[in-house]
Amino acid sequence: MARPDLSTIHAQVALALTEDLGGELSPTNDITANLIPADKQATAHIITREDCTVCGTDWASSAFAQIDEAIKVEWAVSDGDTVAADTQLATLHGSARGILTAERTALNFLQTLSGTATAASHYAAILANSNTRILDTRKTLPGLRLAQKYAVAIGGGKNHRVGLHDAFLIKENHIISCGSIQAAITAARDAHPGKPVEVEVESLDELQQAIRAGADIVMLDNFTNEQVQQAVDINQGACKLEVSGNITDARLHSLAGLGVDFISSGALTKHVQAIDLSLRVTLQ
């Protein structure tokens, strides 16, 4: 996924800043920063305390700019760069008040998106020598769907559907409500002929039904490796196969060896381990 447009980033950051500033985007509401003389200038450095894949620089820049457009941010890295612990990511120059007011919001975006990109990079590296690709899911932090999916792509992962509008994912309750796998897929084709149709199955029998009904992708939900191998043998390339559920590093290796097309993991975006970042100020 491409980086969200700057207006979307600006809006996400504005919401976060407003949350931090008591309901309005007014730096005067930062009662602690206002202890500092208004004319006090500072230089600050953003540093990572651990290895990571960087992501979120535009969100961090937007936070500083929305508080004080005179703050200058000089990035030493770009989104997608892999850096070691103690690397200096950016240098800032400007109002001490403004830098400190925007600091937490800027770092929240940067640490969260870098954490997502770092996890995706780790998974993608495990699968690098196979034809299997890691996918994200819709299990994203509320309001950060586009940002986190961008971070997954930056880390080398692939995006599943963005939301409920751009692809079908027919699950158990949809199948029950429609009457059958065949009925659900037929209705999907009739409603939106150009949209990809994926079906989640819980047995080899349901897999065969989905194949016969012409699914584009079949998600094997919580299949054992033995069942996955049987599914690959049954499928014979008729459709793409995706595996989800109980994904660990060890299982990534084994599933890639079975020849599935995709492995999806909600952990990429919902089990976010934020990167440890710090900002240090030097007064001028």
Side-chain angles (χ1 to χ4, degrees):
M1 171 176 245
R3 188 208 67 192
D5 61 66
L6 291 178
S7 63
T8 297
I9 293 172
H10 181 91
Q12 289 178 332
V13 173
L15 181 63
L17 288 169
T18 300
E19 180 180 58
D20 215 16
L21 290 166
E24 59 177 337
L25 213 170
S26 174
T28 60
N29 288 351
D30 182 353
I31 60 176
T32 309
N34 285 334
L35 298 175
I36 303 167
D39 61 352
K40 184 69 70 175
Q41 296 294 294
T43 295
H45 303 287
I46 298 175
I47 300 165
T48 177
R49 298 304 185 191
E50 57 186 313
D51 299 351
C52 70
T53 299
V54 176
C55 187
T57 56
D58 285 322
W59 283 261
S61 291
S62 179
F64 292 110
Q66 289 191 56
I67 292 299
D68 184 347
E69 61 183 10
I71 295 173
K72 184 177 182 181
V73 184
E74 299 171 345
W75 289 98
V77 295
S78 300
D79 284 358
D81 287 351
T82 298
V83 299
D86 299 321
T87 296
Q88 184 172 296
L89 306 182
T91 300
L92 299 91
H93 304 281
S95 162
R97 279 187 180 184
I99 289 172
L100 294 179
T101 295
E103 171 189 3
R104 178 40 51 199
T105 295
L107 294 187
N108 282 348
F109 279 106
L110 193 61
Q111 70 186 19
T112 300
L113 298 184
S114 293
T116 302
T118 300
S121 179
H122 174 73
Y123 281 27
I126 293 174
L127 299 173
N129 295 320
S130 74
N131 292 320
T132 304
R133 293 293 172 259
I134 189 70
L135 297 177
D136 56 22
T137 71
R138 286 171 48 243
K139 296 175 182 177
T140 52
L141 300 178
L144 290 182
R145 172 73 52 80
L146 297 181
Q148 283 196 286
K149 282 185 171 284
Y150 165 69
V152 168
I154 282 293
K158 292 182 67 67
N159 300 134
H160 208 286
R161 59 178 180 161
V162 174
L164 298 172
H165 60 287
D166 58 332
F168 291 98
L169 180 46
I170 300 168
K171 297 189 176 187
E172 177 186 17
N173 289 328
H174 300 107
I175 294 168
I176 292 171
S177 299
C178 289
S180 68
I181 289 174
Q182 177 67 66
I185 292 179
T186 298
R189 298 291 188 204
D190 289 344
H192 297 282
K195 302 285 189 183
V197 178
E198 179 170 358
V199 180
E200 180 183 83
V201 303
E202 298 178 346
S203 68
L204 294 173
D205 177 63
E206 288 185 346
L207 166 65
Q208 291 172 319
Q209 292 179 51
I211 293 171
R212 288 195 297 270
D216 298 309
I217 307 171
V218 175
M219 179 191 292
L220 310 175
D221 184 40
N222 287 307
F223 275 40
T224 66
N225 280 19
E226 180 181 2
Q227 291 172 318
V228 171
Q229 183 63 73
Q230 291 176 305
V232 170
D233 293 340
I234 290 169
N235 184 51
Q236 293 293 302
C239 61
K240 299 291 187 181
L241 292 181
E242 174 185 336
V243 176
S244 71
N246 301 313
I247 302 303
T248 63
D249 286 5
R251 191 140 194 258
L252 283 170
H253 284 289
S254 63
L255 288 171
L258 297 179
V260 297
D261 300 283
F262 307 113
I263 299 171
S264 57
S265 174
L268 284 173
T269 51
K270 73 185 181 81
H271 295 169
V272 181
Q273 181 65 51
I275 299 302
D276 185 9
L277 304 176
S278 67
L279 182 148
R280 290 291 180 265
V281 165
T282 301
L283 296 180
Q284 296 176 0

